[in-house]
Amino acid sequence: MKNLVRPLVAISLVFLTLAGCGLLPQPAPTAAPQPTATESAPPTAAPEPTTEESAPTAEPAPVAPFHAGFDYNGDARSDIVLFTKNGWQAALSSGAGFDAPSSGPWTANLGMWGEIPFAGDFDGDGKTDIAVLNWNGEFWVGLSTGSSFDAEGSGLWASPAGLWGGIPLSGDFDGDGRDDVLVFTEKDGLRVGLSTGRSFDAPGSGRWNTPAGLWSEQPFTGDFNGDGKDDMAVLNWQGQVWVGISSGAAFDAAGGGQWAVKEAPWGGMPLSGDFNGDSKTDLVVFTPENKWKVNLSSGTSFDAEGSGDWNSAAGLWGELPTAGDFNGDGRADIALLNGNSEWWLGLSSGASFDASGSGRWQSAAGAWCDVPLNAADFWRFDHLTPNMQNLWEGRFRLSGCGQ
């Protein structure tokens, strides 16, 4: 033990000597003791900002703009545009009627009666445009200015997807913010034309695989799983719904196939839209019994909570139904054009089509025999089985109208 003490004492004396000569680093001064309650406290310096206080806060991520669909003037409410024998008519929504300013005839340098019209935001500017597929398998596009369909870029758009006899449907299938075209064909599968903003021939255009879709089934589109890319689906004669989920290059991504439904009877008219406002496209089937069979998407099926028969302030079998967010509240509604050229609305509450504001809406456009672009496509479904053709010929192809 003594042997250990002596060296330690010697080392201590050396350190004391060096410290006295200033040869060792001095310890940092300690903070002054805080005054006691009886002492007067000297003024203290302002506290240094903490890391959280001094670091600049990040700007919140921008929220993607809401797109109502079929919004021809870009005001976040769905409108009605009709293809007529005398040109194009716009019925713009005010939220309580189809008579907002700029409603009426819209100029367009396309569209001959008998060509197949459809609509979508093909240049991605937030305003819905129009297009037709003609007998030559060509697509002619009219880009919206908000008051006409003759904006710069309108005209013939190149595409590998055009085929006369097929059924053109629109949707943003690759998720780039521009709507594309899908042609559902009898013998050539699904032909997709991806939009560049000036044509339907962007890389990735061509035939897309899918587990869904046989000729004579009823196709529709929408973002059924809410991933930002529109998908395709068909309702078949067994009341089943088969879905093709988009990967951005095909309709065969994981999650596709047969989806369970609450009730989707064959013989009704399927319409798609986000009826409960959860950013996933749902399915509603309007039936000959004047029922609205709503099948809400869970992202993997059409039987989410809230599915079933929804009450409605509008809808008699034989009227022409359409869907869109006509009051701009984020939920898709229904509208029907009747034989008296009247529009009747069923606004969605998220659980029914009878929310406040439902009923007859005044309109500046829309006559029986006109073709609303966001209507179900039965007026041109020549591929339906004979009994279905007879049904739609009498009900929706409107014999005597020349359609």
Side-chain angles (χ1 to χ4, degrees), residues 61 64 108 117 192 284:
V192 173
V284 62

Side-chain angles (χ1 to χ4, degrees), residues 88 106-110 128-130 141-155:
W88 303 88
W106 277 28
T107 302
N109 297 314
L110 71 152
T128 301
D129 313 301
I130 60 170
V141 175
L143 299 179
S144 175
T145 66
S147 57
S148 66
F149 292 121
D150 55 5
E152 182 181 357
S154 300

Side-chain angles (χ1 to χ4, degrees), residues 302-328:
F302 284 122
D303 58 0
E305 184 177 357
S307 299
D309 288 4
W310 280 23
N311 293 329
S312 175
L316 293 175
W317 188 248
E319 298 174 341
L320 187 58
T322 70
D325 184 10
F326 301 116
N327 61 353

Side-chain angles (χ1 to χ4, degrees), residues 43-219:
T44 57
E48 292 293 325
T50 64
T51 303
E52 292 181 350
E53 291 171 331
S54 59
T57 57
E59 291 294 325
V63 177
F66 169 70
H67 294 292
F70 302 105
D71 179 13
Y72 298 97
N73 61 350
D75 68 350
R77 290 189 292 264
S78 295
D79 312 300
I80 299 287
V81 161
L82 303 112
F83 184 42
T84 80
K85 293 181 181 180
N86 299 312
W88 303 88
Q89 294 278 333
L92 302 180
S93 174
S94 67
F98 287 131
D99 53 4
S102 296
S103 295
W106 277 28
T107 302
N109 297 314
L110 71 152
M112 295 180 63
W113 193 248
E115 296 176 338
I116 303 179
F118 59 103
D121 184 7
F122 303 123
D123 60 355
D125 68 349
K127 296 186 292 291
T128 301
D129 313 301
I130 60 170
V132 294
L133 172 62
N134 70 15
W135 299 278
N136 296 320
E138 298 170 335
F139 293 110
W140 286 77
V141 175
L143 299 179
S144 175
T145 66
S147 57
S148 66
F149 292 121
D150 55 5
E152 182 181 357
S154 300
L156 176 61
W157 280 27
S159 179
L163 181 66
W164 181 249
I167 301 167
L169 303 166
S170 68
D172 183 8
F173 303 120
D174 58 357
D176 68 350
R178 293 185 294 263
D179 280 339
D180 313 300
V181 62
L182 159 67
V183 179
F184 185 56
T185 75
E186 180 177 7
K187 298 178 180 178
D188 204 31
L190 300 181
R191 297 165 63 129
V192 173
L194 299 179
S195 175
T196 66
R198 290 293 184 273
S199 64
F200 289 128
D201 59 0
S205 299
R207 292 182 181 85
W208 279 27
N209 293 328
T210 181
L214 295 174
W215 194 248
S216 81
E217 297 174 340
Q218 300 170 353

